[in-house]
Amino acid sequence: MSVMLQTRDLSKSFPVGRRLLGAPRGFVHALRPTSITVEQGETLGIVGESGCGKSTLARMLVGLMPPSGGSIEIDGTALDRADPAVFGRMIQYVFQDPSGCLNPRQTIRQILDAPLRLLYRMDAPARAARIAELLDAVNLRAEFLDRYPHEFSGGQAQRIGIARALAAAPRILVLDEPVSALDVSVQAQVLNLLADLKAQLDLTYLFISHDLAVVEAVSDRIVVLYFGTVVESGPAERVFASPRHPYTKLLADSAPAVGRPLLKGAEGELPDPLNPPPGCAFASRCPAATEICRRDTPPLRIIDGDQFAACHHPLAP
Amino acid sequence: MRVFFALLFRNRLAGIGGVVLAIIVALVLLTPVLPLQNPDVTAMGDRFLRPLSPGHLLGTDALGRDLLSRLLWGTRLSLAVGFAAAVAAGLIGSAVGIIAGYAGGRIDNAIMRFVDMLMAFPYILLALAIVAALGPGLMNALIAVAAVNVPFFARNIRGITVGLASRDFIDAARLSGKGHVRIVLTELLPNVLPVIVIAMSTTIGWMILETAGLSFLGLGSQPPQADLGSMLGEARAAMISAPHTSVVPGVMIFLIVMSINLLGDGVRDALDPRLKSGALTRPMAATRVARRNVPEAQGSGLLQIDDLEAQFHVGRRVYRAVNGVSLSIAPGECVGLIGESGSGKSVTALSVMGLVASPPGVITGGAVRLADEDLIGAPYARLRALRGNKVAYVFQDPLSTLHPLYRVGDQLTEAITSHHRISAHEARERALKLLADVRIPNPAARLSAYPHELSGGMRQRIGIAMALANEPEVIIADEPTTALDVTVQAQVLALLDDLRRRKNVAIVFITHDFGIVGQLCDRVAVMYAGRIVEEGPTERVLSDPAHPYTRRLIACVPELGGGRRQLPAIPGLPPAVDQLPEGCAFAPRCDRATPDCAQGEIGLRGSLRKVRCIHPEAEVGA
């Protein structure tokens, strides 16, 4: 197995209270220095709640947002943000809102045509053949090509979004909540389609979601983000079954499940991003927090084999 | 295009404007071939001839020139200049607006501050300054009028562009390899073009007036060339002795500007997509009711819904959103209403208090009884007395249900005082207690917070506190936790469960999540295509579903701890509710379907557990 995607200390901070001249008044650290590795052919699940930095990470990976620090390497070469055509052929993005990512005034043919023409400089017959192939790959009929996005249901629009990403023939797909806007019966259709495509086209996936059950069902490995930091990572079958970080455990216990009583007594929310607390960001909500948690930021360390957690007092399996 | 003209002429004034303008434009286009006298030839003997004089239909001016000829040639020039100025201002202004809106940041700031500076001058002063710098002449007047109107276009178009530039499809285009120029031309421009056309059609009249104004002052067209403004200017000296010389161009300016403005308003309305969907019409205070008979009560619940039918009438189409839903809710009970989007679960809930927007919504049948009082068709005053009092709602997105400009404390006390005559102090005390009830930390400080200052979870707690404000008997919660994070969702669900047990409130909980239903609800009703297909005690429905749709819907939702797997998806899509098939609406997607599933009416069978299926997965008993 070779490493397909690697970030080294990738970080992003946004200035707050910008002034006309001079330095801004402060920074919000949307993503603290983060290093992740994705193997070729793997599906890495990224889980976290709103404000945890998962979308910031995704947008930096596909070049839509410049990082504040660190580096991104795809298949051994550093990501070159200068030429969108180069990384567009390596890594593509599937958006959360299926209808928002399609221009309402373009037909499906025009939408799928652009990457072929601009990224691969294909001639007209080659493009037509490739578009037919793409539509077939996402199980849509060819008669849809000359229709406009508003004529499609959410599930169909998401298939078109996936076809648009695949048109660039990337090695990696970043899927940012690809099914959370869809109905459950359609959600399963799209997840299965993604699994088939991955096998057929030998793709590598980064699957971002807030839905733990969905992530667990599709991922090989899972990374849990909290407040811009990786708090736990490990094999999908172990992360939620035997969480080592208290936040992962809280997440797993919060997910509604038939036959489990409602979680009581877990109050508290994210800390204020403008005034982050010292030490572990989860300490104020953590039942096991001690003095050291409120003073020192715990580093991400090996807990058990390939399971990592950033916690001073990791839970027993 | 046909739709556009139909919409345009539905507005009668716009139609009149269009016809008048068409006649004027046809006349001036034909001017060169009409048998008119030379407009610039003077004849001092024929000065100030009255209208209808032989040879001069509209009379002559101070130099004996034919007024009809001068009017048509002058109108031709004024229209051309006004149109050219509008196009120039529209092009330049829109380009500036798109660039500023797309680039954002410092470029946007610099451009827009410059535009603001232009707008700070009175427009006629600015135009005068430009003409003074460039010298008089029609061309320079055109430049001045165009320049004065650039800021209007720039600001309008920038506003639209800023909204579009942050949309996902712009990012998608970037990932497809499009550069900035391509994105502006192929992605942004087609979306702002209708706005540009609308802005132009509503301002072209102004530009004609402004050009006429400059010519009137002698800064536009130079003698002997006629345009409407200079004709007025020349006639000013003889306004009392020969009024027709100023009335003729005056009437023409009036007709042109009036007709253009009427037509422009019509174009704006016709191009506005909101008008097409009928959204511009304000909904009525309560849903329209058109039912023939009132069904008998089928049960004795606190809230008893019987054979409810609700439809949306859009044009000639009838969307049958709710088709005969019956549901009974006992005091203190929590009933889950589960279904996918378009299944009619929200419309059912909104119908209870007549909250479905009308038009297009109509309640076409059934009854909703609260403690044996039928609410369908109840007078508005009665509904208003009950809304938020006996029956309260909690909606999905608290950010859109709370008013952004009022403090949450004021909104909370308003909810109380609209049903109870109590003092402001008492209301505040109650609001404080409510916030403590929904476990908001530091409630006194939160009362003076604005909705945007609170997190999503806190806002939803405020929404629940408002619902609880008048100690309702029934709370209808429409996906109240869908917009929340899982850990916050768990907190809100625990809160709702606790409140209903302590206060004995009945809850109708609308959701698409079986996990939530399983944790919270005593009973569950599953909806598909506007009907309840299965109903029963939650545990039994979830562990042993009787309807094939329920079973397969449960199966395709992954559950935590199941590991990596292929999910058994349901092929196909739910039917469109304006084209419901006969028989079972799920039959086309069902693997147990037989030919008789697509025939006749399939009833809901059973008593404690009910199922609407002739080949159920499990027996439900009589």
Side-chain angles (χ1 to χ4, degrees):
Chain A
M1 288 266 258
S2 61
V3 172
M4 193 66 209
L5 174 81
Q6 188 163 36
T7 70
R8 288 206 178 90
D9 290 332
L10 187 67
S11 68
K12 180 73 191 176
S13 48
F14 295 101
V16 223
R18 239 192 173 142
R19 284 174 285 198
L20 194 59
L21 297 168
R25 256 172 280 159
F27 287 94
V28 167
H29 299 280
L31 191 70
R32 285 153 201 282
T34 299
S35 304
I36 56 169
T37 308
V38 192
E39 307 274 346
Q40 150 70 30
E42 189 184 32
T43 297
L44 178 71
I46 297 178
V47 187
E49 299 182 277
S50 48
C52 72
K54 56 189 194 299
S55 285
T56 307
L57 172 65
R59 294 173 67 81
M60 283 195 286
L61 290 178
V62 294
L64 285 174
M65 192 184 268
S68 309
S71 66
I72 303 167
E73 251 176 49
I74 296 175
D75 206 10
T77 47
L79 181 77
D80 177 17
R81 279 187 34 87
D83 186 4
V86 175
F87 65 77
R89 291 197 295 255
M90 295 302 297
I91 187 163
Q92 278 288 342
Y93 192 67
V94 174
F95 294 83
Q96 172 175 5
D97 176 10
S99 49
C101 72
L102 307 173
N103 189 335
R105 298 205 175 247
Q106 285 182 353
T107 63
I108 306 313
R109 188 191 301 279
Q110 286 170 310
I111 290 169
L112 295 180
D113 200 51
L116 304 178
R117 194 160 33 89
L118 300 170
L119 296 178
Y120 286 97
R121 316 230 163 266
M122 283 188 189
D123 55 12
R127 293 205 302 265
R130 177 86 175 113
I131 287 175
E133 199 182 297
L134 285 168
L135 225 55
D136 193 46
V138 297
N139 304 332
L140 287 177
R141 292 200 295 276
E143 69 210 51
F144 289 166
L145 273 179
D146 293 305
R147 296 196 195 163
Y148 287 89
H150 68 89
E151 298 173 57
F152 296 95
S153 70
Q156 288 170 330
Q158 193 58 292
R159 284 161 202 263
I160 296 164
I162 293 169
R164 187 204 59 77
L166 290 178
R171 309 286 306 276
I172 311 171
L173 269 192
V174 177
L175 305 146
D176 191 357
E177 306 257 9
V179 295
S180 58
L182 306 178
D183 268 322
V184 275
S185 74
V186 181
Q187 186 172 316
Q189 293 173 7
V190 172
L191 288 176
N192 290 341
L193 169 72
L194 285 170
D196 293 346
L197 289 171
K198 179 167 177 270
Q200 271 170 35
L201 303 172
D202 194 21
L203 295 166
T204 302
Y205 283 171
L206 254 85
F207 193 102
I208 297 171
S209 180
H210 69 278
D211 188 330
L212 313 184
V214 167
V215 169
E216 194 194 49
V218 301
S219 305
D220 299 304
R221 271 192 317 126
I222 292 176
V223 166
V224 183
L225 284 175
Y226 181 73
F227 204 61
T229 319
V230 176
V231 294
E232 180 154 4
S233 76
E237 66 274 14
R238 290 228 302 276
V239 167
F240 293 125
S242 65
R244 295 312 186 85
H245 196 285
Y247 174 66
T248 318
K249 181 165 169 43
L250 174 67
L251 268 184
D253 291 345
S254 301
V258 179
R260 193 173 59 200
L262 282 165
L263 187 70
K264 306 264 178 183
E267 295 294 318
E269 289 185 28
L270 285 175
D272 178 9
L274 277 169
N275 291 308
C280 174
F282 188 63
S284 62
R285 297 168 73 179
C286 183
T290 58
E291 192 64 27
I292 184 174
C293 302
R294 286 182 265 274
R295 195 181 59 230
D296 299 334
T297 309
L300 189 67
R301 59 190 172 98
I302 297 177
I303 302 293
D304 175 16
D306 44 5
Q307 197 166 358
F308 294 70
C311 183
H312 293 300
H313 313 293
L315 302 167
Chain B
M1 207 63 194
R2 277 233 321 270
V3 181
F4 170 74
F5 278 109
L7 277 171
L8 182 61
F9 283 98
R10 202 166 64 182
N11 179 347
R12 198 161 298 158
L13 282 175
I16 295 173
V19 170
V20 171
L21 189 67
I23 293 172
I24 295 173
V25 169
L27 273 177
V28 300
L29 285 178
L30 290 174
T31 302
V33 297
L34 287 178
L36 292 169
Q37 301 167 27
N38 187 327
D40 299 337
V41 169
T42 57
M44 293 313 279
D46 292 338
R47 293 181 70 205
F48 294 128
L49 285 181
R50 300 279 151 176
L52 303 177
S53 310
H56 300 287
L57 195 59
L58 291 180
T60 56
D61 69 356
L63 298 174
R65 296 176 292 197
D66 181 51
L67 264 184
L68 178 65
S69 170
R70 280 182 77 73
L71 180 74
L72 288 181
W73 283 102
T75 305
R76 190 178 154 92
L77 198 61
S78 284
L79 275 181
V81 170
F83 186 72
V87 169
L91 281 180
I92 299 169
S94 306
V96 169
I98 288 183
I99 291 169
Y102 176 68
R106 298 229 153 108
I107 299 178
D108 180 31
N109 226 330
I111 294 181
M112 292 325 288
R113 292 302 81 78
F114 178 72
V115 166
D116 286 347
M117 238 154 63
L118 281 181
M119 286 197 106
F121 290 101
Y123 78 93
I124 195 78
L125 210 65
L126 189 61
L128 281 174
I130 294 172
V131 173
L134 298 175
L138 203 52
M139 203 57 207
N140 293 343
L142 191 158
I143 292 170
V145 170
V148 164
N149 283 288
V150 161
F152 168 77
F153 282 94
R155 290 177 65 109
N156 247 345
I157 300 304
R158 175 195 169 263
I160 307 284
T161 311
V162 166
L164 287 169
S166 58
R167 295 269 299 271
D168 282 346
F169 68 83
I170 300 293
D171 284 335
R174 204 164 287 150
L175 293 170
S176 300
K178 289 193 177 178
H180 295 311
V181 178
R182 274 209 176 85
I183 287 177
V184 166
L185 291 180
T186 63
E187 304 281 334
L188 282 174
L189 192 60
N191 283 294
V192 293
L193 208 55
V195 185
I196 298 179
V197 171
I198 290 167
M200 263 201 224
S201 66
T202 47
T203 49
I204 195 165
W206 272 109
M207 305 224 195
I208 291 175
L209 268 186
E210 284 163 19
T211 336
L214 286 178
S215 289
F216 178 83
L217 295 173
L219 299 169
S221 77
Q222 298 301 310
Q225 194 180 36
D227 84 341
L228 293 174
S230 64
M231 283 174 75
L232 263 183
E234 287 161 10
R236 195 180 38 169
M239 204 150 77
I240 308 293
S241 57
H244 70 277
T245 49
S246 41
V247 167
V248 165
V251 166
M252 184 53 106
I253 291 179
F254 169 76
L255 283 179
I256 292 175
V257 174
M258 204 65 195
S259 61
I260 288 179
N261 284 351
L262 288 176
L263 184 67
D265 286 351
V267 168
R268 183 195 59 206
D269 291 348
L271 281 180
D272 194 325
R274 282 175 305 168
L275 193 74
K276 278 183 208 158
S277 58
L280 279 186
T281 44
R282 202 159 61 96
M284 301 194 301
T287 312
R288 192 157 74 82
V289 176
R291 63 173 174 180
R292 268 178 240 113
N293 46 359
V294 183
E296 290 287 309
Q298 296 162 13
S300 55
L302 167 67
L303 182 69
Q304 178 71 36
I305 303 175
D306 296 304
D307 285 328
L308 184 71
E309 280 178 29
Q311 305 180 339
F312 292 95
H313 294 187
V314 181
R316 247 174 260 154
R317 291 196 169 178
V318 175
Y319 296 89
R320 291 161 58 197
V322 179
N323 303 309
V325 165
S326 301
L327 201 60
S328 174
I329 295 117
E333 191 184 26
C334 180
V335 176
L337 202 53
I338 199 163
E340 298 180 88
S341 52
S343 63
K345 54 191 194 304
S346 289
V347 180
T348 303
L350 291 174
S351 300
V352 169
M353 280 283 121
L355 289 174
V356 180
S358 251
V362 188
I363 292 177
T364 47
V368 174
R369 293 184 178 88
L370 180 70
D372 293 326
E373 180 190 358
D374 190 6
L375 302 177
I376 300 295
Y380 173 58
R382 182 67 192 139
L383 282 179
R384 218 190 129 185
L386 291 172
R387 284 179 184 172
N389 192 11
K390 295 274 183 233
V391 179
Y393 284 84
V394 180
F395 294 102
Q396 178 174 345
D397 179 10
L399 192 58
S400 61
T401 45
L402 291 173
H403 197 296
L405 299 181
Y406 291 100
R407 296 174 197 277
V408 294
D410 296 343
Q411 301 189 48
L412 205 47
T413 46
E414 190 194 5
I416 301 169
T417 50
S418 59
H419 290 292
H420 297 277
R421 288 169 171 276
I422 55 170
S423 70
H425 178 74
E426 253 177 288
R428 194 184 137 84
E429 289 298 305
R430 274 202 30 201
L432 268 179
K433 191 175 167 305
L434 283 167
L435 289 194
D437 271 353
V438 295
R439 290 190 225 124
I440 286 184
N442 198 1
R446 301 292 182 166
L447 274 183
S448 53
Y450 289 97
H452 72 264
E453 295 170 330
L454 302 172
S455 69
M458 283 299 152
R459 280 197 292 262
Q460 195 55 291
R461 282 165 201 257
I462 303 273
I464 293 170
M466 277 176 89
L468 290 172
N470 298 298
E471 307 200 322
E473 291 167 0
V474 182
I475 290 182
I476 296 176
D478 192 351
E479 307 235 14
T481 58
T482 306
L484 304 177
D485 281 321
V486 261
T487 57
V488 181
Q489 165 172 293
Q491 296 169 10
V492 171
L493 290 178
L495 171 71
L496 272 174
D497 191 52
D498 181 46
L499 287 173
R500 100 168 153 107
R501 290 180 201 284
R502 274 198 290 133
K503 304 194 179 236
N504 202 35
V505 192
I507 297 183
V508 181
F509 197 97
I510 298 167
T511 180
H512 61 270
D513 191 325
F514 281 106
I516 294 179
V517 167
Q519 288 184 310
L520 193 68
C521 300
D522 307 317
R523 277 193 305 130
V524 61
V526 183
M527 285 192 75
Y528 187 76
R531 302 193 136 173
I532 291 180
V533 294
E534 176 161 9
E535 188 193 326
T538 308
E539 264 170 59
R540 291 191 48 204
V541 171
L542 295 186
S543 63
D544 195 15
H547 198 284
Y549 174 65
T550 318
R551 176 182 58 88
R552 297 183 61 187
L553 195 60
I554 293 174
C556 71
V557 182
E559 217 176 294
L560 200 60
R564 198 178 163 152
R565 64 208 175 274
Q566 186 90 359
L567 300 166
I570 308 177
L573 291 174
V577 287
D578 58 334
Q579 295 160 6
L580 285 179
E582 200 190 337
C584 173
F586 186 63
R589 301 171 76 185
C590 183
D591 50 8
R592 296 170 76 94
T594 52
D596 50 344
C597 287
Q599 279 162 15
E601 173 72 24
I602 295 166
L604 201 59
R605 297 187 290 128
S607 55
L608 183 62
R609 278 195 74 181
K610 297 174 187 165
V611 64
R612 192 187 292 276
C613 181
I614 47 181
H615 307 293
E617 308 255 349
E619 273 314 315
V620 293

